[in-house]
């Protein structure tokens, strides 16, 4: 393991507001950086807090969304892509803004081959064994370049104020695409159990095809063969919006079911 990781802090590093102190964590290569909370997104806080250009100084690999819940964000190799409502991939402009995301500078610590995993559940089970072996109370960003027999991805349309909740927006505008016999890369984040009030616990996956034509949030997958690469990280920094409306959000609400729906629900056939 990288020496920086062995000596790294094992506690949360604190919060950074979007003000003059905002650049404190920029270019730190051993931190999972987060804009706002998944819970604020669930409540319908879709205002952008940081630009794409600024966010790229915090990492080269990650997931999230864009202002107005404008599709799915996937950062790979230093480029930030959008999967639009039709799951078509686009490179985003430096001036586009982000309401929620996780990003880090990816440095592979260990990897494992994957073969003939027929479901998302099977993939998560395989990854969880590796997480448990290496420390379930750490953060992990993963990349899974692979050949997929089939992968189901989704995205959604940009919303306008006054914003609905995340679940309402997905139920109204979510579109899904099934891709078959395709090569591409999943970027995924694992959050430990103690993150349950700041993000979703466990795995969250986004996908982009090798030809950069398709991208979206992963609902299901079937991996023919590939490799999972793990970046184990013990530091976490959250950047909070400084806007007044963020401070009016009521977090004294159990959002677990809403987040579960947003992570997993397919609208097909509904």
């Amino acid at each position: 393991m990288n020496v920086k990781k062995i000596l790294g802090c094992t506690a949360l590093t604190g919060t950074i507001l979007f003000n003059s102190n905002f650049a404190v964590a920029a270019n730190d290569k051993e931190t999972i950086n987060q804009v706002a909370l998944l819970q604020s997104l669930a409540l319908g806080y879709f205002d952008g807090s940081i630009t794409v250009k600024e966010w790229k100084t915090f990492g080269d690999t990650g997931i999230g969304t864009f202002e107005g819940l404008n599709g799915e964000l996937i950062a790979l190799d230093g480029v930030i892509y959008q999967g639009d409502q039709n799951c078509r991939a686009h490179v985003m402009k430096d001036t586009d803004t982000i309401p929620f995301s996780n990003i880090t500078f990816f440095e592979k610590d260990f990897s494992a081959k994957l073969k003939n995993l027929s479901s998302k559940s099977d993939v998560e089970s395989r990854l969880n064994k590796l997480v448990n072996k290496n420390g379930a109370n750490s953060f992990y960003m993963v990349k899974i370049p692979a050949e997929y027999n089939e992968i189901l991805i989704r995205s959604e349309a940009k919303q306008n104020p006054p914003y609905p909740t995340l679940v309402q927006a997905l139920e109204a505008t979510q579109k899904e695409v099934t891709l078959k016999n395709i090569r591409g890369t999943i970027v995924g984040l694992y959050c430990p159990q103690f993150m349950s009030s700041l993000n979703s616990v466990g795995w969250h996956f986004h996908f982009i095809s090798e030809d950069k034509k398709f991208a979206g949030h992963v609902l299901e997958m079937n991996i023919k063969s590939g490799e999972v690469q793990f970046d184990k990280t013990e530091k976490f920094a959250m950047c909070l919006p400084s806007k007044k409306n963020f401070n009016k959000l009521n977090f004294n609400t159990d959002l677990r079911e809403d987040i579960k729906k947003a992570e997993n629900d397919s609208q097909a056939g509904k």
Side-chain angles (χ1 to χ4, degrees):
M1 179 180 288
N2 189 301
V3 173
K4 290 184 292 181
K5 287 197 160 104
I6 296 172
L7 299 177
C9 175
T10 58
L12 301 185
T13 60
T15 53
I16 304 163
L17 296 178
F18 288 105
N19 55 28
S20 59
N21 297 320
F22 148 76
V24 171
N27 298 311
D28 182 340
K29 294 185 168 42
E30 294 300 331
T31 298
I32 295 289
N33 296 292
Q34 180 170 304
V35 176
L37 301 80
L38 184 55
Q39 283 72 5
S40 58
L41 197 74
L43 289 168
Y45 188 84
F46 302 157
D47 287 347
S49 299
I50 188 170
T51 67
V52 165
K53 182 178 180 178
E54 290 169 325
W55 198 225
K56 286 190 288 189
T57 69
F58 286 79
D60 56 19
T61 305
I63 56 178
T65 188
F66 299 96
E67 181 167 5
L69 198 70
N70 188 16
E72 302 288 339
L73 180 157
I74 181 168
L76 182 64
D77 300 328
V79 181
I80 292 183
Y81 301 91
Q82 175 210 41
D84 68 16
Q85 186 189 21
N86 296 308
C87 298
R88 304 293 300 194
H90 309 273
V91 176
M92 296 302 277
K93 296 181 293 185
D94 282 347
T95 53
D96 289 319
T97 59
I98 297 166
F100 173 75
S101 178
N102 290 95
I103 202 167
T104 192
F105 286 103
F106 193 91
E107 294 181 331
K108 184 175 73 173
D109 290 315
F110 59 94
S111 62
K113 297 296 184 183
L114 302 178
K115 192 172 183 178
N116 298 330
L117 296 173
S118 61
S119 69
K120 182 168 173 267
S121 177
D122 287 346
V123 174
E124 290 182 350
S125 178
R126 177 79 170 96
L127 269 54
N128 284 339
K129 289 179 181 178
L130 294 164
V131 163
N132 291 332
K133 179 181 177 181
N134 287 274
N137 287 330
S138 294
F139 295 87
Y140 296 85
M141 191 72 79
V142 298
K143 294 194 289 189
I144 311 177
E147 184 175 355
Y148 295 83
N149 289 319
E150 190 169 301
I151 187 164
L152 173 64
I153 58 175
R154 73 107 198 275
S155 193
E156 57 284 330
K158 183 178 181 179
Q159 305 297 300
N160 296 306
Y163 292 127
T165 66
L166 176 59
V167 167
Q168 289 169 342
L170 292 175
E171 288 178 344
T173 70
Q174 176 169 311
K175 290 187 179 180
E176 300 169 15
V177 174
T178 298
L179 304 169
K180 296 185 178 182
N181 301 317
I182 191 166
R183 298 191 65 85
T185 299
I186 281 175
V187 172
L189 174 69
Y190 171 88
C191 286
Q193 190 66 41
F194 58 76
M195 285 287 291
S196 60
S197 62
L198 303 179
N199 205 317
S200 60
V201 172
W203 293 102
H204 187 155
F205 300 116
H206 288 190
F207 170 82
I208 187 163
S209 60
E210 187 175 71
D211 59 13
K212 306 300 187 293
K213 290 183 178 180
F214 299 96
H217 172 93
V218 177
L219 294 173
E220 190 53 270
M221 68 179 100
N222 181 317
I223 293 179
K224 181 178 181 179
S225 64
E227 178 185 68
V228 56
Q229 303 168 5
F230 284 81
D231 183 358
K232 181 181 180 181
T233 305
E234 276 100 15
K235 291 196 293 181
F236 172 84
M238 187 194 321
C239 307
L240 295 178
S242 57
K243 295 181 180 179
K244 290 182 179 179
N245 57 338
F246 177 82
N247 287 293
K248 293 180 180 179
L249 295 175
N250 178 14
F251 290 105
N252 191 26
T253 305
D254 188 347
L255 295 166
R256 288 176 295 180
E257 190 60 32
D258 279 6
I259 289 172
K260 182 179 178 182
K261 284 178 176 291
E263 288 287 314
N264 301 303
D265 277 10
S266 171
Q267 302 302 323
K270 290 189 176 183

